Amino acid sequence: MTRARPQIAPYAALIAALTAAQTLSTPAAAQSALQQESQEISSAPPAPDGPTYAPGDIVATVDAKEIRLDEVVVVFAGLPENVQALPDATLWEGIVTQLIDETVITNAALEAGLENRRDVVLAINAQRRAILANAYLDGLIQSKLTEESIEAEYRKRFVDIEPVKQVRASHILLKEQETAQGVLTEIKGGKDFAEAAKEHSTGPTGPNGGDLGYFEQEQMVPEFANAAFAMQVGEVSEPVQSDFGWHLIKLVDIRDRPAPGFESARATIMEEMTVQLAQETVAELRADAKVERLVEEAPNGALRNVAMIAPPSVAPAEMEPSEEESAETETAPTEESEPEAPAPITERAPENAPAPTPAPATQ
């Protein structure tokens, strides 16, 4: 049986423990106020007469292995915002305990020689590659994502453009043209349009008087939109047919689409610019790099052959060879031979290579 490589989520247990501890120790009614207070404290500058500290300060040791203050801060920076809002005392205890436990286990792993085991080396290399790539992209994006560039993008999207027309309309949806014509006669005779919609409309907006709010021409079916955008404010249309039935339309207002305020649009613009800058950066780097795909398609069974990265298994005690078998092995002559050349990659994996067992999901 093969073992799937576990997902790497070193702080999942820490996050769960911190959140659970805070929930258990603090009454629900005080949670919001406590989080707000802790945010204010964490964002406030240190008091002039407060203690001083340096990134390299040692906060704990494990068998002479030092745990530094900046290592604690790295863990804190990787936590979700809602967890970061917890009090410093709770976070400090949880993070330092986590780092001590990890160091104890890491020391044991190093003594066991695991740092050179193939599956461990592969996992470390994968994490190193991802961290370096993210650090490079983040630095480049931050250098280009300036306040000036964000404001320029805002103007490009919402200010320096041709105004987009919007109309506000109400409608009454009916199944038959004759019924629609009869309701129109009632309205022309003085019946309030909204009351007629509440009484006769089969559409979901009937109960609120048929109000559709503001919309742009492309947001409605063509028959309805063409009629609405050709009307005057206050006008009621003749019956208009669409795939939904027959409509009586009342035009309520016409306006240019209002631009959102800069601050309300800022977060969305930054997010979209970040994605765009990342894509452009990757495209530029790939254009300058010499990339050769040596295997275009997944070799048969290779992708799911997790046995090739599985850690070596340890034989149970009862499976150890007896003293006689060991002696035979030691005295048996050995013949030196040239190692066989590896088979081509398309033939290396067996067709019935086992599928990996899904790793447990982490929160």
Side-chain angles (χ1 to χ4, degrees):
M1 179 180 296
T2 60
R3 286 180 283 180
R5 192 168 105 191
Q7 295 182 356
I8 300 173
Y11 304 138
L14 172 62
I15 292 171
L18 288 172
T19 305
Q22 183 63 17
T23 302
L24 291 172
S25 62
T26 308
Q31 288 289 322
S32 178
L34 180 58
Q35 290 189 358
Q36 181 178 356
E37 180 183 353
S38 63
Q39 286 178 325
E40 293 173 354
I41 294 174
S42 61
S43 62
D49 57 349
T52 59
Y53 50 82
D57 286 351
I58 301 170
V59 301
T61 61
V62 179
D63 295 331
K65 174 66 177 179
E66 298 174 349
I67 298 174
R68 307 190 323 175
L69 177 60
D70 50 8
E71 294 175 308
V72 178
V73 176
V74 164
V75 176
F76 168 82
L79 297 174
E81 289 186 4
N82 65 315
V83 178
Q84 289 183 355
L86 296 176
D88 284 6
T90 301
L91 290 166
W92 181 265
E93 174 62 24
I95 295 173
V96 174
T97 299
Q98 171 90 358
L99 289 176
I100 289 173
D101 291 344
E102 288 179 352
T103 305
V104 168
I105 300 170
T106 300
N107 288 347
L110 292 173
E111 290 179 6
L114 297 188
E115 62 179 323
N116 297 319
R117 201 174 73 186
R118 178 173 173 76
D119 61 313
V120 176
V121 172
L122 289 170
I124 292 174
N125 288 344
Q127 289 297 301
R128 179 178 183 274
R129 182 167 54 243
I131 291 170
L132 286 172
N134 288 334
Y136 181 84
L137 275 180
D138 184 65
L140 193 65
I141 289 170
Q142 291 303 320
S143 68
K144 295 183 177 181
L145 200 64
T146 63
E147 196 67 22
E148 292 75 13
S149 66
I150 298 171
E151 291 179 1
E153 184 67 19
Y154 170 79
R155 295 192 62 84
K156 176 183 175 182
R157 295 188 184 193
F158 302 111
V159 180
D160 303 331
I161 60 171
E162 193 72 24
V164 177
K165 291 293 182 184
Q166 292 182 326
V167 300
R168 181 174 183 177
S170 297
H171 83 135
I172 301 173
L173 179 62
L174 301 155
K175 294 182 178 180
E176 304 293 337
Q177 183 180 13
E178 293 77 12
T179 307
Q181 197 66 54
V183 175
L184 178 61
T185 300
E186 293 181 17
I187 294 171
K188 289 182 176 180
K191 189 176 184 68
D192 180 70
F193 189 94
E195 290 301 319
K198 293 177 182 178
E199 183 178 344
H200 298 290
S201 183
T202 62
T205 61
N208 69 348
D211 185 19
L212 294 168
Y214 285 96
F215 56 88
E216 296 160 24
Q217 191 158 1
E218 295 76 14
Q219 294 176 311
M220 294 293 180
V221 293
E223 301 87 353
F224 187 98
N226 292 339
F229 276 79
M231 296 169 60
Q232 301 295 320
V233 174
E235 183 181 356
V236 177
S237 72
E238 294 292 320
V240 176
Q241 187 181 20
S242 76
D243 291 339
F244 299 98
W246 292 86
H247 307 263
L248 296 176
I249 306 169
K250 180 178 180 180
L251 191 66
V252 179
D253 190 25
I254 301 174
R255 71 177 186 183
D256 291 337
R257 181 177 63 192
F262 175 71
E263 288 304 323
S264 63
R266 193 174 190 277
T268 300
I269 292 175
M270 287 182 63
E271 182 178 349
E272 293 176 357
M273 287 182 68
T274 297
V275 173
Q276 181 180 351
L277 287 169
Q279 292 173 342
E280 291 174 352
T281 300
V282 172
E284 291 172 3
L285 292 173
R286 289 194 61 159
D288 294 337
K290 183 179 180 181
V291 179
E292 295 180 83
R293 284 183 177 267
L294 303 182
V295 181
E296 289 294 338
E297 297 182 0
N300 187 18
L303 186 63
R304 300 180 183 277
N305 184 17
V306 295
M308 70 173 67
I309 63 167
S313 58
V314 180
E318 62 269 18
M319 297 299 293
E320 293 180 357
S322 63
E323 293 183 2
E324 294 179 358
E325 291 174 338
S326 300
E328 292 177 0
T329 303
E330 292 175 359
T331 57
T334 58
E335 296 182 2
E336 295 184 0
S337 59
E338 293 292 330
E340 295 183 3
I345 190 170
T346 53
E347 300 176 4
R348 199 175 299 162
E351 293 185 3
N352 60 345
T357 304
T362 57
Q363 298 296 325

